[in-house]
Amino acid sequence: MAGSDSLERSNPTKQALNWGRTYLMCPPDYFGVFYEINPWMHTQVAPDRDLAHKQWDNLVANIKQAGGIVQTMEAVDGLPDLVFTANAGLVNGRTFIPSQFKFPERQPEVIYNNAWFRAHDFEVVEFSHDPHLYFEGCGDAFMVHGQLVAGYGFRTELGAHAVLAKQLGVPFHSIHLIDDRLYHLDISFCPLDERHALVAPDVWHHSSAEDILQFIPEPLVLELDEALAFSANSIVVGNTVIMPHCPTRVERILHKWGYEVCVSPVTEFLKAGGGVRCLTLALDVTYP
Ligand code: ARG
């Protein structure tokens, strides 16, 4: 019935995700754009180091203000993209599954990521012995309804999804990314709670879009320009959606769903093709 449906839509009972309170981050001490591995990176457009530090500090403060916990790892000279901890790998309880980066520029990050996780009492378990089975961590993988939702097309290999899902012991959904500007899944997808997610199906192959739009009960569909402004590269901490950018239209809907919106500018990191989600790795994820 239309009446009860609209009532339900304006008063949704949302069930929070059971992860996303604790994040690993890495300060931008050696951040910069020194190579080009995605369409946003131009070595001649250098990020402002001081501003990057301010934006990163501000993001940490915003996460804490929303009730989150931030743990940090040390930056490493020569590894400018180590700030994007989302790509380090995937946490499942006390197990850490490291990424297998596609580009040689990022491959040396693995040693430092693994060292951090070992030092913090995680067991490091590689998911494959084939180094060409690329997997770029939580940039391309989310837990939704206890299942794995993973992206492929530019970085992570489709073949990695089944191997990972088997290791995690859960079903999986693959999203085929088709626009190289949104090369990781976390630029076109952000689960908000068990009902809602930000999605940009325009940059997905139509069969993936169909599947996910069935899987997510109430998606907030972003226009292409909203997605290109990294609106989906956001995190949810408690009741707050922390976003690099939030179009008024999107803010209105998030408010209606009972969320607070916190815009945390990350302009300097966008020059490397990363936003709020990319700068954080959820440490409190346990697959069922
Ligand atoms: N410059 C980095 C790269 O191209 C940016 C990574 C962004 N991370 C993300 N989770 N989307 O690999």
Side-chain angles (χ1 to χ4, degrees):
M1 265 186 339
S4 63
D5 185 53
S6 61
L7 185 68
E8 198 213 341
R9 274 172 187 263
S10 57
N11 295 299
T13 41
K14 57 182 203 288
Q15 195 197 332
L17 299 173
N18 64 1
W19 57 272
R21 285 263 174 191
T22 307
Y23 293 96
L24 175 63
M25 295 178 64
C26 173
D29 299 354
Y30 301 102
F31 172 63
V33 177
F34 304 117
Y35 47 78
E36 300 179 1
I37 57 171
N38 71 55
W40 305 95
M41 300 177 90
H42 304 290
T43 50
Q44 70 279 18
V45 183
D48 176 327
R49 201 47 89 68
D50 289 341
L51 183 54
H53 263 285
K54 284 195 187 112
Q55 293 180 338
W56 188 88
D57 288 344
N58 186 44
L59 175 59
V60 172
N62 287 333
I63 292 173
K64 291 182 178 170
Q65 175 72 30
I69 298 167
V70 174
Q71 292 191 252
T72 53
M73 63 184 285
E74 260 176 59
V76 177
D77 194 1
L79 297 179
D81 278 339
L82 197 64
V83 283
F84 298 116
T85 51
N87 298 123
L90 181 157
V91 169
N92 180 25
R94 298 309 298 176
T95 299
F96 173 65
I97 304 175
S99 289
Q100 302 202 139
F101 285 100
K102 174 169 176 176
F103 290 106
E105 289 87 342
R106 296 204 66 182
Q107 288 164 359
E109 295 179 24
V110 174
I111 298 167
Y112 298 94
N113 293 327
N114 289 354
W116 188 91
F117 278 93
R118 285 200 184 97
H120 290 78
D121 295 326
F122 284 83
E123 190 190 354
V124 175
V125 181
E126 266 138 38
F127 82 100
S128 163
H129 294 298
D130 174 3
H132 299 293
L133 196 57
Y134 304 124
F135 161 56
E136 297 210 348
C138 290
D140 272 328
F142 288 90
M143 183 172 76
V144 186
H145 308 326
Q147 302 184 21
L148 175 71
V149 176
Y152 73 100
F154 298 104
R155 300 291 183 91
T156 297
E157 294 285 336
L158 172 60
H161 298 179
V163 182
L164 270 168
K166 190 166 176 228
Q167 182 167 336
L168 296 167
V170 296
F172 68 100
H173 296 258
S174 297
I175 302 185
H176 188 179
L177 308 171
I178 55 170
D179 184 324
D180 69 344
R181 295 167 299 180
L182 291 85
Y183 56 95
H184 277 138
L185 178 60
D186 66 3
I187 317 176
S188 59
F189 181 67
C190 176
L192 298 168
D193 53 56
E194 292 295 339
R195 258 197 96 67
H196 304 105
L198 304 173
V199 300
D202 283 356
V203 301
W204 301 342
H205 189 277
H206 62 85
S207 57
S208 312
E210 255 170 46
D211 174 41
I212 295 303
L213 292 174
Q214 293 220 340
F215 187 56
I216 303 290
E218 216 173 331
L220 198 169
V221 177
L222 298 174
E223 305 289 338
L224 181 59
D225 62 322
E226 296 171 336
L228 287 170
F230 276 61
S231 305
N233 200 252
S234 301
I235 60 172
V236 187
V237 183
N239 218 30
T240 307
V241 188
I242 303 177
M243 313 176 70
H245 168 80
C246 186
T248 317
R249 178 188 85 85
V250 172
E251 187 171 15
R252 225 180 303 119
I253 299 170
L254 291 174
H255 283 162
K256 194 177 86 175
W257 288 350
Y259 285 106
E260 312 249 334
V261 170
C262 166
V263 173
S264 200
V266 284
T267 54
E268 299 320 289
F269 300 98
L270 294 178
K271 293 173 183 169
V276 168
R277 171 69 73 181
C278 309
L279 290 165
T280 58
L281 176 68
L283 292 173
D284 54 355
V285 184
T286 303
Y287 281 79

